[in-house]
Amino acid sequence: MLRKIFGLLIFPILGASVHTYAQEEYDQQIFQYINQEKWFDAKSLYDTRHDDLSEVIRLISGAFLGAYFNRPAEGVAAIEELLAKYGGQLGGQAVMYRMLAAKNFASMRAYAKMDSVFTYMLAYDAPYLDDQTRKGIASGLEQCRKIARLPRTEVIDRSREGSPGTVGMELEDGLFYLNAGYCGKSVKTLLDIGAEYTSIDQSLADELGVRIFQDSLWMAPASYMKLGILNSLQIGSITLKNEICCVFPDGLAARNREATADSGITRIRAMLGISTLRKLSALTVDVEHGTITFDTGKQPQTGIANFMLKDNIPYLWLELNGIPAMMHWDTGMNAKPRLSGKFYAEHASSLPELGPVRKGSEITAAGAAEYRYHALGGICAKIGSREVILPEVRVVFDTEDMHTAEVPGYDGQMNNIVDVRRIRIDFENMCVTME
């Protein structure tokens, strides 16, 4: 839907503007990238040709890229300037940018400003909202006000006081585990950047006395969760006070503990998710030595941006047999990597032949799912400068069977990567490096 709205927006404004040849060339190029959801190409062009873009295209690009590359303040600034200067020309298209602004404010934990945006939309944007969107905004406003009444999350890093910034890590069934402290209790925890929220099961929440402030949060594919607040969450030298967490049903957790090696999350009561991790500046998983180091300090630029968060869902840019691909990345799954049928059809000449149709299944914290696939073997994945061989990749032609069916346009899903010595995720510069 956003892609169609965006396409209607650009050309009327461009037609009313005066550009140099370079501006027209780069405007059209970045416009094409954004319409095709090629966000990493758009980011690269924006970073290198920022001054050559016309003002309106620069602001529109900045609005999206700020939101998706963990620069919410920059995204908000671009949106506010865009609406102030071009709001009269945008008409109903302004709804999309106000929605982006609200998401950026949520990332900044600026809930009063998020409240103002949603309140304005319900009061003045009603002619442009269908019933489902209006209800979604009203629900978001209600949740925003609940969170605003909670104590603000505080991040305390004692690594400079002599407390170790590194914790032990266990590699089990292809997944990374650590011990984290929940309200003073040490709990075995899955490192899961594919999880939108840090999550615990209901029995642990009861044991810790976690305060529940929302009891009907829908999580795809088929589960209702609750939202609560942890008095403290400790990971190494870092303590987060008043951290929001998701609480999932014990019955679901029991099914997870019975899961097979090809079924996703196994034997786990707690997951460290992206809602917590993105508050840090970086983390390093040392597979060779069995440690994870968490950091809150300033990070040097070590490579190009190859990692993004869209609606708190992580995506990784990589090459598969030399073909650029944008993959949903989930360290909380040990299922095989998957490609969309569309991606395979477009690049079949550079990929192995399809195997016969098979059935697969997975169990995650959000529920169980089955899917049909064709197996591929021997694909080379290049992430940054590091190459790894993927022994089996599954091609899924029915988008309803894709784990990421709710975000069409992406090329597939990458599982945890363990055949490396070290993985570093830089949330400040949105860069993943592997050794």
Side-chain angles (χ1 to χ4, degrees):
M1 180 176 178
L2 291 186
R3 196 159 56 240
K4 294 180 180 177
I5 291 176
F6 193 83
L8 292 173
L9 167 66
I10 293 292
F11 286 112
I13 296 179
L14 286 182
S17 305
V18 177
H19 310 286
T20 65
Y21 173 77
Q23 285 175 319
E24 290 180 352
E25 176 186 354
Y26 295 124
D27 284 354
Q28 295 293 332
Q29 192 172 352
I30 202 166
F31 161 67
Q32 184 179 19
Y33 287 151
I34 291 176
N35 264 336
Q36 295 174 350
E37 298 184 274
K38 294 183 176 181
W39 299 112
F40 293 100
D41 291 324
K43 178 74 163 58
S44 177
L45 181 60
Y46 181 83
D47 288 345
T48 56
R49 293 294 181 179
H50 177 276
D51 294 335
D52 294 322
L53 298 171
S54 64
E55 181 179 63
V56 65
I57 299 299
R58 176 178 56 79
L59 294 175
I60 289 171
S61 303
F64 283 99
L65 298 175
Y68 298 160
F69 286 88
N70 209 22
R71 292 285 191 273
E74 294 176 15
V76 166
I79 292 167
E80 290 177 341
E81 187 176 351
L82 176 68
L83 294 176
K85 293 183 176 180
Y86 298 95
Q89 299 177 52
L90 295 177
Q93 308 297 328
V95 171
M96 175 174 60
Y97 296 101
R98 278 193 274 273
M99 190 67 77
L100 267 180
K103 291 178 179 179
N104 280 320
F105 284 134
S107 298
M108 297 163 64
R109 291 170 280 170
Y111 297 112
K113 293 183 178 180
M114 185 179 177
D115 186 315
S116 297
V117 172
F118 280 153
T119 301
Y120 181 96
M121 294 178 74
L122 291 173
Y124 300 104
D125 289 336
Y128 307 108
L129 305 177
D130 58 28
D131 188 57
Q132 182 178 358
T133 303
R134 182 186 58 78
K135 288 180 179 179
I137 293 173
S139 175
L141 178 59
E142 180 183 3
Q143 181 175 321
C144 168
R145 289 175 174 173
K146 287 180 180 179
I147 295 175
R149 290 193 291 267
L150 299 173
R152 185 175 177 84
T153 301
E154 182 182 0
V155 181
I156 303 169
D157 188 350
R158 292 192 170 90
S159 61
R160 295 169 184 81
E161 301 173 11
S163 179
T166 299
V167 299
M169 181 274 292
E170 293 182 18
L171 179 61
E172 185 178 316
D173 294 332
L175 302 175
F176 299 135
Y177 292 91
L178 67 147
N179 285 325
Y182 296 81
C183 304
K185 179 181 177 63
S186 180
V187 180
K188 183 177 179 179
T189 300
L190 174 68
L191 180 67
D192 186 3
I193 68 166
E196 182 175 355
Y197 287 97
T198 286
S199 304
I200 60 176
D201 68 13
Q202 183 66 61
S203 62
L204 179 57
D206 293 340
E207 183 180 341
L208 299 175
V210 170
R211 173 187 168 190
I212 303 297
F213 65 89
Q214 183 166 338
D215 60 5
S216 59
L217 180 71
W218 173 255
M219 299 287 281
S223 299
Y224 280 98
M225 307 293 181
K226 302 175 183 179
L227 285 181
I229 184 166
L230 293 162
N231 291 336
S232 69
L233 170 60
Q234 184 171 356
I235 44 177
S237 62
I238 299 169
T239 300
L240 295 96
K241 293 186 175 181
N242 307 311
E243 177 69 349
I244 292 173
C245 69
C246 182
V247 178
F248 56 88
D250 284 339
L252 185 61
R255 291 201 299 277
N256 288 342
R257 285 190 282 270
E258 295 166 3
T260 65
D262 188 33
S263 300
I265 294 172
T266 60
R267 301 180 300 281
I268 197 66
R269 299 182 70 193
M271 295 171 288
L272 196 60
I274 203 70
S275 62
T276 296
L277 297 173
R278 71 180 299 171
K279 294 183 177 78
L280 313 178
S281 59
L283 68 87
T284 303
V285 180
D286 190 328
V287 182
E288 184 178 24
H289 297 101
T291 61
I292 304 178
T293 301
F294 299 93
D295 198 352
T296 61
K298 181 73 175 175
Q299 301 300 310
Q301 183 74 47
T302 56
I304 63 169
N306 61 350
F307 177 63
M308 64 172 267
L309 296 169
K310 187 176 186 292
D311 298 329
N312 261 358
I313 299 173
Y315 295 92
L316 188 63
W317 187 92
L318 62 146
E319 294 181 8
L320 297 174
N321 281 7
I323 308 163
M326 182 173 168
M327 307 280 279
H328 172 218
W329 188 27
D330 191 349
T331 64
M333 289 188 65
N334 54 12
K336 301 296 188 295
R338 271 167 282 178
L339 288 177
S340 71
K342 181 176 182 292
F343 181 87
Y344 182 85
E346 291 175 351
H347 304 287
S349 61
S350 300
L351 297 170
E353 292 185 5
L354 292 175
V357 177
R358 300 176 183 174
K359 286 187 178 181
S361 63
E362 66 182 31
I363 300 175
T364 73
E370 294 186 350
Y371 62 97
R372 297 176 299 277
Y373 68 92
H374 300 259
L376 300 178
I379 290 182
C380 177
K382 184 177 181 181
I383 302 166
S385 59
R386 182 68 162 84
E387 293 185 349
V388 295
I389 299 299
L390 306 177
E392 180 182 333
V393 176
R394 297 177 174 182
V395 179
V396 183
F397 280 91
D398 186 347
T399 57
E400 294 302 315
D401 286 341
M402 285 291 286
H403 183 69
T404 52
E406 70 275 15
V407 279
Y410 301 104
D411 300 316
Q413 179 170 323
M414 180 62 68
N415 65 336
N416 212 5
I417 303 167
V418 298
D419 295 329
V420 293
R421 293 191 302 118
R422 194 172 291 109
I423 302 171
R424 179 172 175 78
I425 305 175
D426 178 348
F427 290 100
E428 186 173 331
N429 298 298
M430 300 306 284
C431 178
V432 174
T433 54
M434 300 188 185
E435 300 175 11

